[in-house]
């Protein structure tokens, strides 16, 4: 989780520098009196907005739909509880039974193959919970209007 957060911050920092350094260098080279430096509020909004491309302004919604935000957070919680249920009911019993027996390769392979389908279901739930529900909830709270997360 920390590594993913650090990678996101490095990618956002790279985008911020890539978009702003050429503007500053061109204004210094032209010896114009005005240098357009982004405000701190623009940078902070960019850090929390669900995008990796820096712009000085983004399309914004006029209002926040709090019922939509609550629905998305409820879907995140529902996905987490469902993933926990799948894990407890389908994954843990496989490995609990194998821990009481002596080690054999056949038993390990059977445990792994019996856990593939629940693991894939959990991955789909994580994808839905984070990339769809979590990012849409924060986009709505930030009034971020461009919702093309999957492109």
């Amino acid at each position: 989780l920390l590594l993913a957060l650090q990678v996101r911050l490095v990618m956002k920092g790279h985008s911020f520098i890539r978009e702003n350094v050429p503007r500053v260098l061109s204004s210094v080279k032209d010896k114009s009196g005005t240098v357009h430096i982004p405000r701190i509020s623009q940078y902070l909004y960019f850090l929390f907005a669900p995008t990796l491309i820096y712009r000085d302004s983004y399309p914004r919604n006029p209002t926040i739909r709090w019922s939509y935000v609550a629905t998305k957070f409820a879907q995140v919680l529902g996905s987490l509880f469902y993933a926990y249920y799948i894990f407890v009911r389908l994954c843990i019993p496989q490995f609990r039974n194998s821990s009481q027996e002596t080690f054999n390769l056949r038993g390990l392979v059977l445990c792994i193959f019996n856990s593939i389908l629940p693991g894939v279901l959990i991955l789909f739930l994580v994808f839905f919970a984070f990339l769809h529900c979590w990012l849409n909830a924060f986009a709505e709270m930030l009034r971020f209007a461009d919702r093309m997360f999957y492109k």
Side-chain angles (χ1 to χ4, degrees):
L1 189 61
L2 279 173
L3 183 62
L5 180 64
Q6 289 174 344
V7 168
R8 182 185 69 90
L9 288 175
V10 167
M11 290 169 65
K12 283 187 176 252
H14 175 73
S15 176
F16 181 77
I17 290 169
R18 186 177 173 117
E19 291 292 324
N20 288 307
V21 167
R23 286 193 292 188
V24 171
L25 290 178
S26 68
S27 65
V28 168
K29 189 169 99 173
D30 295 340
K31 302 212 189 282
S32 61
T34 60
V35 177
H36 179 71
I37 298 174
R39 295 187 316 266
I40 296 293
S41 62
Q42 290 172 325
Y43 181 68
L44 286 176
Y45 184 83
F46 169 64
L47 282 181
F48 291 102
T51 183
L52 292 174
I53 300 170
Y54 177 78
R55 298 287 180 252
D56 288 332
S57 64
Y58 295 98
R60 305 282 299 265
N61 289 332
T63 60
I64 298 173
R65 298 175 295 172
W66 289 107
S67 61
Y68 181 80
V69 172
T71 302
K72 291 301 172 190
F73 280 133
Q75 288 175 352
V76 169
L77 284 175
S79 297
L80 290 175
F81 282 125
Y82 189 52
Y84 174 76
Y85 177 77
I86 289 172
F87 192 73
V88 167
R89 296 290 288 177
L90 299 175
C91 292
I92 290 178
Q94 295 294 326
F95 290 99
R96 185 177 294 143
N97 294 337
S98 67
S99 66
Q100 296 169 353
E101 302 171 2
T102 60
F103 177 76
N104 61 3
L105 187 60
R106 181 181 178 274
L108 179 66
V109 170
L110 283 175
C111 284
I112 290 173
F113 279 125
N114 287 334
S115 297
I116 287 175
L117 181 63
V120 169
L121 287 173
I122 289 172
L123 285 175
F124 282 139
L125 283 170
V126 167
F127 171 80
F128 173 74
F130 179 71
L131 292 178
H132 181 70
C133 299
W134 188 264
L135 290 179
N136 271 314
F138 272 93
E140 185 66 34
M141 286 190 295
L142 291 171
R143 297 187 301 135
F144 189 78
D146 186 14
R147 305 283 174 89
M148 303 300 249
F149 297 130
Y150 306 114
K151 286 192 174 184

